[in-house]
Amino acid sequence: MTEERDPSSDVVRRDRFSGGPAREFLSSMDADTRIFAADIAVDRAHVVMLAEQDVIEDDIAGEMLAALGDIEAAGHDALPEGEDVHAAIETAVIERVGRDGGKMHTARSRNDEVATCIRYQLREDLLDAVEATVALREQLLETASQHTETIMPGYTHLQPAQPTTVAHWLCSYEQAIARDTERLLDAYERVNRSPLGAAAFAGTTFDIDRERTAALLGFGGVPASGASEGPVAHRSTGVVENSMDASSARDFLLESVTALATHTTTLSGLAEDVIVFANRGFVELSDDYASTSSIMPQKKNPDTLELVRATAGEAAAGVNGLLTTLKGLPRAYNRDLQSATPYAWETVDAVLDATDVVGGAVATAEWPEDVLADAAGEGFSTATGVADLLAAHGLPFRTAHEVVAVAAEEIETRDTDQSDEDGRQEGKTDLDAVDAAAREVLDDPVSEYVDPEAVEAALDPVESVASRDSMGGPAATAVAAYLDEADGRVDADQETLADRRENLETARDQLDTAVSDYV
């Protein structure tokens, strides 16, 4: 039997709380579109558990589960008016089932219900973010494998520092993004715990099985097998046990958004590097990842990467917003939490887009090898290699550093004094400068300490890079070793991701099977 209902009210508001100017202000219906499917799943699991525990009758459970199927098929837009998606779905169930539909809310509150729905959806979003980071790492490694011997300048303080390779630079970001993957997976583990059954905050008097609903929803992983073996076979450790903490905690939002913000900081650094490289002619972005000016037709601007930089600011704002919202809340539930959740949705969406853009921009970029090679030796960038060579032949490193510092001053004077031809020493080489510095500092020519040919080799950017073959260095052999190991780590993270997704899919299948016993 379907009962008449005031269309301006829902099962939570009742007539008393249905009017007034604050109704729209309180409503989260539009924002709740994202957790519509989650709420349907949570309702199903809860109803199944109530029936299995003999809290509600099997036939009424079947009617409610059938109604939830109709509501899911109709979609969020077909819901009746409500303060939020949870109340609207419950109202729709009662409209279809009648008064007994109100039994669906037995032994729970919207407090634990919404917390469960948020976790249910957020864990999927986190896995999407993990997948995006792994895909980006694959693109970085693939591009790096093509440029293990592409020499380029390396910088500190945006000043020429030491020569390196495009591959070494790319791997530096791959390694950082691998840590971002780890952080996201760590956050997933703490998100993937069920608060359902905590009720308002003080638990319930009903004989419920919180571990059963957690297992049906895939929280904490899915145990091995068979819905036919009954509720006890589906125990799960994925429960937020303390009921007060379960209903009120949102630290999982903060942890997730912080992990996402950390990833955007990595992306922003990569984007900034590429923007600077493009400015110097070191990289040519594909037109697909560039734009032009409305008035200056010659311009090719790295607009997409500039927006990636901005994403880091948006994500940091999400962290700030969450911290500010959460910092003063008392136990247990407070309505401020309604405003906390959108920070997570907005951040994860922005991060997914930015990650995809960075991967595409790097994978399709061209690296002009001749330009990079010419720039790699600028600013006496091989100076450290010469100092290392002198130290390897017995000089204290600090003394070797002084010799090369004097040589650097000589080279800078020679290279910058372009206008006064008489002031330039034509034909003078960097080796000449090192030898002159050795005579000044050591009172001996450099040949007294090391073969000048070895110094000449150390001054060559290609030889300099090849000599830096320590673990994690830029030499082709060191990079090749890193690439092999990094490929293995990518494979391992893909397996972890696939395992997490399989667990969730298994739980969905188990829930469908459990529902089919009643419908």
Side-chain angles (χ1 to χ4, degrees):
M1 172 182 173
T2 301
E3 298 186 357
E4 291 296 321
R5 178 184 65 86
D6 181 348
S8 67
S9 68
D10 62 31
V11 293
V12 174
R13 290 174 179 168
R14 306 190 313 279
D15 291 341
R16 177 182 174 187
F17 296 104
S18 293
R23 296 308 109 197
E24 187 173 345
F25 180 73
L26 282 168
S27 176
S28 62
M29 276 295 290
D30 291 340
D32 287 346
T33 302
R34 190 163 189 138
I35 56 173
F36 171 73
D39 194 271
I40 295 289
V42 168
D43 287 344
R44 283 173 168 156
H46 185 66
V47 169
V48 166
M49 182 276 296
L50 291 177
E52 290 177 347
Q53 294 295 110
D54 295 324
V55 175
I56 61 174
E57 302 86 343
D58 287 358
D59 58 336
I60 292 175
E63 290 183 50
M64 288 190 289
L65 291 168
L68 287 169
D70 292 342
I71 294 165
E72 180 182 40
H76 180 273
D77 291 343
L79 288 174
E81 290 184 17
E83 191 167 275
D84 54 37
V85 70
H86 320 292
I89 289 175
E90 186 181 354
T91 301
V93 168
I94 293 172
E95 286 178 344
R96 287 164 170 78
V97 174
R99 190 170 186 171
D100 283 341
K103 293 186 177 183
M104 185 174 74
H105 205 59
T106 304
R108 75 174 185 189
S109 160
R110 277 191 303 175
N111 296 355
D112 60 328
E113 181 183 0
V114 66
T116 309
C117 292
I118 294 167
R119 287 172 180 266
Y120 187 95
Q121 177 58 46
L122 182 59
R123 66 185 183 180
E124 294 279 4
D125 292 333
L126 287 175
L127 291 183
D128 288 344
V130 168
E131 184 173 1
T133 63
V134 172
L136 174 54
R137 287 160 57 196
E138 286 186 297
Q139 290 169 310
L140 293 174
L141 293 172
E142 173 61 28
T143 305
S145 70
Q146 301 165 18
H147 292 285
T148 57
E149 297 187 3
T150 304
I151 304 297
M152 70 176 290
Y155 297 90
T156 62
H157 310 283
L158 278 179
Q159 302 299 311
Q162 293 177 277
T164 185
T165 65
V166 171
H168 190 237
W169 172 79
L170 288 166
C171 288
S172 77
Y173 280 108
E174 188 282 328
Q175 183 169 271
I177 294 165
R179 293 193 297 274
D180 295 336
T181 303
E182 290 177 16
R183 277 183 281 267
L184 290 166
L185 286 170
D186 285 346
Y188 174 88
E189 297 305 321
R190 278 176 287 280
V191 169
N192 194 33
R193 297 174 186 173
S194 174
L196 192 61
F201 76 87
T204 178
T205 59
F206 291 94
D207 181 23
I208 63 171
D209 186 343
R210 294 185 64 197
E211 289 182 317
R212 174 59 169 161
T213 51
L216 287 171
L217 294 169
F219 286 108
V222 178
S225 257
S228 61
E229 297 175 20
V232 176
H234 292 269
R235 296 296 182 189
S236 165
T237 57
V239 173
V240 184
E241 184 170 353
N242 181 276
S243 60
M244 185 178 291
D245 181 47
S247 290
S248 61
R250 293 297 185 274
D251 56 331
F252 68 90
L253 284 179
L254 182 58
E255 180 179 10
S256 299
V257 174
T258 300
L260 291 164
T262 301
H263 176 53
T264 63
T265 302
T266 309
L267 294 181
S268 183
L270 194 161
E272 171 66 5
D273 271 355
V274 175
I275 290 166
V276 171
F277 292 165
N279 174 264
R280 295 174 179 175
F282 295 165
V283 66
E284 181 72 22
L285 287 174
S286 165
D287 288 353
D288 290 342
Y289 294 93
S291 185
T292 189
S293 165
S294 64
I295 190 173
M296 298 170 285
Q298 83 282 8
K299 296 292 296 296
K300 181 175 179 179
N301 301 323
D303 290 2
T304 55
L305 295 175
E306 291 168 355
L307 288 171
V308 168
R309 272 190 320 206
T311 301
E314 295 173 14
V319 174
N320 246 351
L322 275 168
L323 284 169
T324 305
T325 300
L326 300 178
K327 71 173 182 61
L329 298 187
R331 287 294 198 224
Y333 183 85
N334 298 273
R335 197 60 174 265
D336 313 48
L337 296 176
Q338 179 173 301
S339 295
T341 312
Y343 290 116
W345 308 146
E346 291 164 8
T347 301
V348 74
D349 289 344
V351 170
L352 288 172
D353 290 342
T355 305
D356 289 344
V357 165
V358 168
V362 170
T364 57
E366 295 181 4
W367 301 87
E369 295 183 13
D370 291 342
V371 174
L372 288 167
D374 288 343
E378 292 177 355
F380 194 21
S381 66
T382 54
T384 305
V386 176
D388 286 344
L389 180 66
L390 292 172
H393 284 76
L395 276 183
F397 180 79
R398 192 51 60 202
T399 304
H401 184 280
E402 184 180 356
V403 170
V404 178
V406 172
E409 293 175 18
E410 167 66 23
I411 291 169
E412 182 179 7
T413 300
R414 183 197 70 199
D415 290 348
T416 57
D417 192 7
Q418 300 290 337
S419 59
D420 183 1
E421 292 187 5
D422 293 334
R424 295 192 64 195
Q425 294 176 299
E426 296 294 338
K428 291 291 185 179
T429 65
D430 290 354
L431 175 59
D432 293 328
V434 173
D435 186 63
R439 293 174 188 274
E440 179 180 333
V441 176
L442 305 173
D443 295 326
D444 284 313
V446 73
S447 59
E448 287 292 316
Y449 298 91
V450 63
D451 187 339
E453 289 186 3
V455 177
E456 197 111 54
L459 288 165
D460 177 35
V462 174
E463 295 293 333
S464 177
V465 167
S467 70
R468 298 188 172 277
D469 58 358
S470 58
M471 178 187 288
T477 54
V479 171
Y482 177 85
L483 290 173
D484 286 342
E485 294 175 3
D487 284 338
R489 289 190 291 269
V490 165
D491 290 343
D493 286 340
Q494 286 176 327
E495 289 178 11
T496 299
L497 176 63
D499 178 67
R500 300 297 180 271
R501 289 201 187 282
E502 184 179 358
N503 283 343
L504 299 185
E505 186 60 35
T506 299
R508 282 190 285 270
D509 291 343
Q510 291 185 359
L511 179 57
D512 288 344
T513 299
V515 168
S516 69
D517 289 341
Y518 298 91
V519 178

